[in-house]
mmCIF file of all heavy atoms in Angstrom:
data_model
loop_
_atom_site.group_PDB
_atom_site.id
_atom_site.type_symbol
_atom_site.label_atom_id
_atom_site.label_comp_id
_atom_site.label_asym_id
_atom_site.label_seq_id
_atom_site.Cartn_x
_atom_site.Cartn_y
_atom_site.Cartn_z
ATOM 1 N N ASP A 19 -20.635 -28.344 19.083
ATOM 2 C CA ASP A 19 -20.397 -29.565 18.360
ATOM 3 C C ASP A 19 -18.936 -29.953 18.275
ATOM 4 O O ASP A 19 -18.718 -31.163 17.855
ATOM 5 C CB ASP A 19 -20.891 -29.351 16.881
ATOM 6 C CG ASP A 19 -22.464 -29.310 16.837
ATOM 7 O OD1 ASP A 19 -23.119 -29.654 17.873
ATOM 8 O OD2 ASP A 19 -22.950 -28.864 15.780
ATOM 9 N N ASN A 20 -18.056 -29.075 18.612
ATOM 10 C CA ASN A 20 -16.579 -29.402 18.528
ATOM 11 C C ASN A 20 -15.843 -28.956 19.792
ATOM 12 O O ASN A 20 -15.075 -28.108 19.779
ATOM 13 C CB ASN A 20 -15.965 -28.658 17.374
ATOM 14 C CG ASN A 20 -16.624 -29.135 16.047
ATOM 15 O OD1 ASN A 20 -16.222 -30.204 15.440
ATOM 16 N ND2 ASN A 20 -17.639 -28.363 15.474
ATOM 17 N N PRO A 21 -16.210 -29.658 20.961
ATOM 18 C CA PRO A 21 -15.582 -29.170 22.193
ATOM 19 C C PRO A 21 -14.053 -29.341 22.407
ATOM 20 O O PRO A 21 -13.454 -28.721 23.128
ATOM 21 C CB PRO A 21 -16.415 -29.927 23.173
ATOM 22 C CG PRO A 21 -16.832 -31.162 22.510
ATOM 23 C CD PRO A 21 -17.100 -30.737 21.135
ATOM 24 N N ALA A 22 -13.583 -30.400 21.571
ATOM 25 C CA ALA A 22 -12.195 -30.595 21.723
ATOM 26 C C ALA A 22 -11.304 -29.627 20.947
ATOM 27 O O ALA A 22 -10.086 -29.404 21.196
ATOM 28 C CB ALA A 22 -11.737 -32.078 21.197
ATOM 29 N N ALA A 23 -11.938 -28.978 20.042
ATOM 30 C CA ALA A 23 -11.108 -27.815 19.276
ATOM 31 C C ALA A 23 -10.873 -26.554 20.073
ATOM 32 O O ALA A 23 -11.699 -26.432 21.114
ATOM 33 C CB ALA A 23 -11.899 -27.616 17.935
ATOM 34 N N SER A 24 -10.096 -25.671 19.582
ATOM 35 C CA SER A 24 -9.999 -24.513 20.219
ATOM 36 C C SER A 24 -9.884 -23.264 19.156
ATOM 37 O O SER A 24 -9.840 -23.590 18.046
ATOM 38 C CB SER A 24 -8.687 -24.416 21.026
ATOM 39 O OG SER A 24 -7.609 -24.561 20.209
ATOM 40 N N ASP A 25 -9.986 -22.115 19.637
ATOM 41 C CA ASP A 25 -9.955 -20.879 18.797
ATOM 42 C C ASP A 25 -11.036 -20.969 17.674
ATOM 43 O O ASP A 25 -10.791 -20.701 16.470
ATOM 44 C CB ASP A 25 -8.549 -20.808 18.122
ATOM 45 C CG ASP A 25 -8.387 -19.380 17.494
ATOM 46 O OD1 ASP A 25 -8.994 -18.404 17.992
ATOM 47 O OD2 ASP A 25 -7.469 -19.289 16.626
ATOM 48 N N HIS A 26 -12.231 -21.324 18.125
ATOM 49 C CA HIS A 26 -13.495 -21.423 17.041
ATOM 50 C C HIS A 26 -13.697 -19.989 16.461
ATOM 51 O O HIS A 26 -13.515 -18.997 17.234
ATOM 52 C CB HIS A 26 -14.647 -21.807 17.830
ATOM 53 C CG HIS A 26 -14.462 -23.193 18.409
ATOM 54 N ND1 HIS A 26 -13.833 -23.497 19.589
ATOM 55 C CD2 HIS A 26 -14.951 -24.406 17.950
ATOM 56 C CE1 HIS A 26 -13.868 -24.803 19.842
ATOM 57 N NE2 HIS A 26 -14.629 -25.403 18.898
ATOM 58 N N SER A 27 -14.157 -19.949 15.327
ATOM 59 C CA SER A 27 -14.651 -18.668 14.693
ATOM 60 C C SER A 27 -15.753 -19.001 13.674
ATOM 61 O O SER A 27 -15.813 -20.218 13.226
ATOM 62 C CB SER A 27 -13.537 -17.901 14.140
ATOM 63 O OG SER A 27 -12.946 -18.549 12.967
ATOM 64 N N ALA A 28 -16.569 -18.088 13.477
ATOM 65 C CA ALA A 28 -17.613 -18.191 12.359
ATOM 66 C C ALA A 28 -17.826 -16.867 11.762
ATOM 67 O O ALA A 28 -17.993 -15.883 12.493
ATOM 68 C CB ALA A 28 -18.949 -18.691 13.066
ATOM 69 N N GLU A 29 -17.819 -16.848 10.546
ATOM 70 C CA GLU A 29 -18.021 -15.469 9.791
ATOM 71 C C GLU A 29 -18.794 -15.862 8.611
ATOM 72 O O GLU A 29 -18.590 -16.705 7.806
ATOM 73 C CB GLU A 29 -16.721 -14.853 9.386
ATOM 74 C CG GLU A 29 -16.834 -13.673 8.698
ATOM 75 C CD GLU A 29 -15.584 -13.035 8.205
ATOM 76 O OE1 GLU A 29 -14.419 -13.694 8.356
ATOM 77 O OE2 GLU A 29 -15.692 -11.998 7.572
ATOM 78 N N LEU A 30 -19.935 -15.002 8.550
ATOM 79 C CA LEU A 30 -20.761 -15.055 7.197
ATOM 80 C C LEU A 30 -20.059 -14.375 6.104
ATOM 81 O O LEU A 30 -19.596 -13.148 6.285
ATOM 82 C CB LEU A 30 -22.131 -14.339 7.476
ATOM 83 C CG LEU A 30 -23.160 -15.107 8.333
ATOM 84 C CD1 LEU A 30 -24.353 -14.299 8.488
ATOM 85 C CD2 LEU A 30 -23.513 -16.486 7.734
ATOM 86 N N LYS A 31 -19.864 -15.000 5.122
ATOM 87 C CA LYS A 31 -19.240 -14.374 3.782
ATOM 88 C C LYS A 31 -20.308 -13.672 3.016
ATOM 89 O O LYS A 31 -21.509 -13.973 3.403
ATOM 90 C CB LYS A 31 -18.483 -15.431 3.056
ATOM 91 C CG LYS A 31 -17.351 -16.090 3.840
ATOM 92 C CD LYS A 31 -16.262 -15.095 4.198
ATOM 93 C CE LYS A 31 -15.232 -15.798 4.981
ATOM 94 N NZ LYS A 31 -14.053 -14.903 5.230
ATOM 95 N N GLY A 32 -20.107 -13.006 2.101
ATOM 96 C CA GLY A 32 -21.069 -12.373 1.231
ATOM 97 C C GLY A 32 -21.460 -11.034 1.784
ATOM 98 O O GLY A 32 -22.691 -10.556 1.544
ATOM 99 N N TYR A 33 -20.593 -10.335 2.416
ATOM 100 C CA TYR A 33 -20.960 -9.001 2.865
ATOM 101 C C TYR A 33 -19.603 -8.176 2.394
ATOM 102 O O TYR A 33 -18.491 -8.596 2.347
ATOM 103 C CB TYR A 33 -20.913 -8.911 4.358
ATOM 104 C CG TYR A 33 -22.179 -9.385 4.983
ATOM 105 C CD1 TYR A 33 -22.427 -10.657 5.084
ATOM 106 C CD2 TYR A 33 -23.238 -8.460 5.223
ATOM 107 C CE1 TYR A 33 -23.682 -11.133 5.608
ATOM 108 C CE2 TYR A 33 -24.385 -8.905 5.724
ATOM 109 C CZ TYR A 33 -24.727 -10.186 5.916
ATOM 110 O OH TYR A 33 -25.891 -10.685 6.405
ATOM 111 N N GLY A 34 -20.044 -6.967 1.979
ATOM 112 C CA GLY A 34 -18.917 -5.951 1.462
ATOM 113 C C GLY A 34 -19.138 -4.559 1.834
ATOM 114 O O GLY A 34 -20.273 -4.257 2.249
ATOM 115 N N MET A 35 -18.149 -3.822 1.806
ATOM 116 C CA MET A 35 -18.312 -2.339 2.137
ATOM 117 C C MET A 35 -18.730 -1.548 0.891
ATOM 118 O O MET A 35 -18.212 -1.859 -0.179
ATOM 119 C CB MET A 35 -16.988 -1.809 2.705
ATOM 120 C CG MET A 35 -16.535 -2.552 3.955
ATOM 121 S SD MET A 35 -17.646 -2.425 5.336
ATOM 122 C CE MET A 35 -17.435 -0.617 5.714
ATOM 123 N N ALA A 36 -19.623 -0.614 1.082
ATOM 124 C CA ALA A 36 -20.040 0.188 -0.004
ATOM 125 C C ALA A 36 -20.240 1.605 0.558
ATOM 126 O O ALA A 36 -20.447 1.865 1.721
ATOM 127 C CB ALA A 36 -21.328 -0.322 -0.469
ATOM 128 N N VAL A 37 -19.857 2.615 -0.327
ATOM 129 C CA VAL A 37 -20.100 4.011 0.081
ATOM 130 C C VAL A 37 -21.518 4.409 -0.420
ATOM 131 O O VAL A 37 -21.865 4.394 -1.587
ATOM 132 C CB VAL A 37 -19.024 4.821 -0.647
ATOM 133 C CG1 VAL A 37 -19.248 6.347 -0.290
ATOM 134 C CG2 VAL A 37 -17.617 4.413 -0.196
ATOM 135 N N ILE A 38 -22.293 4.791 0.623
ATOM 136 C CA ILE A 38 -23.569 5.241 0.222
ATOM 137 C C ILE A 38 -23.769 6.632 1.066
ATOM 138 O O ILE A 38 -23.624 6.683 2.229
ATOM 139 C CB ILE A 38 -24.681 4.362 0.878
ATOM 140 C CG1 ILE A 38 -24.513 2.980 0.140
ATOM 141 C CG2 ILE A 38 -26.096 4.935 0.701
ATOM 142 C CD1 ILE A 38 -25.490 1.996 0.647
ATOM 143 N N ASP A 39 -24.062 7.719 0.173
ATOM 144 C CA ASP A 39 -24.252 9.039 0.744
ATOM 145 C C ASP A 39 -23.088 9.567 1.555
ATOM 146 O O ASP A 39 -23.112 9.967 2.711
ATOM 147 C CB ASP A 39 -25.477 9.148 1.512
ATOM 148 C CG ASP A 39 -26.823 8.978 0.737
ATOM 149 O OD1 ASP A 39 -26.645 9.178 -0.596
ATOM 150 O OD2 ASP A 39 -27.759 8.511 1.235
ATOM 151 N N ASN A 40 -21.852 9.230 1.138
ATOM 152 C CA ASN A 40 -20.514 9.539 1.708
ATOM 153 C C ASN A 40 -20.237 8.773 3.013
ATOM 154 O O ASN A 40 -19.538 9.367 3.943
ATOM 155 C CB ASN A 40 -20.526 11.068 1.881
ATOM 156 C CG ASN A 40 -20.336 11.776 0.619
ATOM 157 O OD1 ASN A 40 -19.757 11.317 -0.318
ATOM 158 N ND2 ASN A 40 -20.846 12.982 0.526
ATOM 159 N N THR A 41 -20.869 7.678 3.252
ATOM 160 C CA THR A 41 -20.696 6.916 4.418
ATOM 161 C C THR A 41 -20.427 5.466 3.970
ATOM 162 O O THR A 41 -20.870 4.925 3.033
ATOM 163 C CB THR A 41 -21.791 6.829 5.483
ATOM 164 O OG1 THR A 41 -23.005 6.365 4.815
ATOM 165 C CG2 THR A 41 -22.097 8.283 5.982
ATOM 166 N N MET A 42 -19.580 4.792 4.764
ATOM 167 C CA MET A 42 -19.183 3.493 4.486
ATOM 168 C C MET A 42 -20.236 2.566 5.182
ATOM 169 O O MET A 42 -20.448 2.793 6.395
ATOM 170 C CB MET A 42 -17.761 3.053 4.950
ATOM 171 C CG MET A 42 -16.630 3.496 4.094
ATOM 172 S SD MET A 42 -16.821 2.459 2.642
ATOM 173 C CE MET A 42 -15.112 1.823 2.583
ATOM 174 N N GLN A 43 -20.732 1.554 4.505
ATOM 175 C CA GLN A 43 -21.627 0.685 5.106
ATOM 176 C C GLN A 43 -21.303 -0.756 4.838
ATOM 177 O O GLN A 43 -20.788 -1.030 3.654
ATOM 178 C CB GLN A 43 -23.127 0.934 4.650
ATOM 179 C CG GLN A 43 -23.693 2.207 5.183
ATOM 180 C CD GLN A 43 -25.105 2.307 4.802
ATOM 181 O OE1 GLN A 43 -25.827 1.388 4.622
ATOM 182 N NE2 GLN A 43 -25.594 3.642 4.705
ATOM 183 N N LEU A 44 -21.585 -1.711 5.666
ATOM 184 C CA LEU A 44 -21.423 -3.160 5.456
ATOM 185 C C LEU A 44 -22.841 -3.670 4.942
ATOM 186 O O LEU A 44 -23.798 -3.530 5.517
ATOM 187 C CB LEU A 44 -21.078 -3.894 6.704
ATOM 188 C CG LEU A 44 -20.760 -5.282 6.635
ATOM 189 C CD1 LEU A 44 -19.489 -5.525 5.782
ATOM 190 C CD2 LEU A 44 -20.699 -6.014 7.973
ATOM 191 N N LEU A 45 -22.734 -4.234 3.640
ATOM 192 C CA LEU A 45 -23.999 -4.580 3.009
ATOM 193 C C LEU A 45 -23.791 -6.018 2.553
ATOM 194 O O LEU A 45 -22.656 -6.586 2.205
ATOM 195 C CB LEU A 45 -24.248 -3.738 1.700
ATOM 196 C CG LEU A 45 -24.419 -2.324 1.919
ATOM 197 C CD1 LEU A 45 -24.583 -1.576 0.637
ATOM 198 C CD2 LEU A 45 -25.616 -1.983 2.828
ATOM 199 N N GLY A 46 -24.890 -6.778 2.516
ATOM 200 C CA GLY A 46 -25.014 -8.115 1.904
ATOM 201 C C GLY A 46 -24.649 -8.047 0.450
ATOM 202 O O GLY A 46 -25.213 -7.133 -0.258
ATOM 203 N N VAL A 47 -23.930 -8.892 -0.080
ATOM 204 C CA VAL A 47 -23.616 -8.961 -1.540
ATOM 205 C C VAL A 47 -23.700 -10.267 -2.039
ATOM 206 O O VAL A 47 -23.625 -11.374 -1.288
ATOM 207 C CB VAL A 47 -22.275 -8.385 -1.783
ATOM 208 C CG1 VAL A 47 -22.036 -6.963 -1.458
ATOM 209 C CG2 VAL A 47 -21.115 -9.277 -1.233
ATOM 210 N N MET A 48 -23.905 -10.441 -3.355
ATOM 211 C CA MET A 48 -23.986 -11.848 -4.053
ATOM 212 C C MET A 48 -23.261 -11.619 -5.379
ATOM 213 O O MET A 48 -23.624 -10.812 -6.165
ATOM 214 C CB MET A 48 -25.396 -12.231 -4.275
ATOM 215 C CG MET A 48 -25.630 -13.512 -4.906
ATOM 216 S SD MET A 48 -27.179 -14.049 -5.272
ATOM 217 C CE MET A 48 -27.842 -14.351 -3.516
ATOM 218 N N PRO A 49 -22.192 -12.487 -5.671
ATOM 219 C CA PRO A 49 -21.560 -12.428 -6.863
ATOM 220 C C PRO A 49 -22.491 -12.926 -7.970
ATOM 221 O O PRO A 49 -23.309 -13.844 -7.833
ATOM 222 C CB PRO A 49 -20.320 -13.279 -6.683
ATOM 223 C CG PRO A 49 -20.650 -14.162 -5.492
ATOM 224 C CD PRO A 49 -21.642 -13.451 -4.715
ATOM 225 N N ILE A 50 -22.530 -12.326 -9.088
ATOM 226 C CA ILE A 50 -23.252 -12.660 -10.315
ATOM 227 C C ILE A 50 -22.400 -12.921 -11.465
ATOM 228 O O ILE A 50 -21.334 -12.272 -11.577
ATOM 229 C CB ILE A 50 -24.585 -11.805 -10.611
ATOM 230 C CG1 ILE A 50 -24.050 -10.505 -10.938
ATOM 231 C CG2 ILE A 50 -25.508 -11.890 -9.488
ATOM 232 C CD1 ILE A 50 -25.100 -9.527 -11.381
#
Side-chain angles (χ1 to χ4, degrees):
D19 291 346
N20 299 278
S24 62
D25 197 25
H26 299 79
S27 67
E29 179 183 0
L30 288 177
K31 300 297 183 176
Y33 282 82
M35 298 300 289
V37 177
I38 298 176
D39 296 331
N40 292 327
T41 61
M42 279 292 234
Q43 291 188 26
L44 184 67
L45 301 173
V47 297
M48 180 180 294
I50 59 174

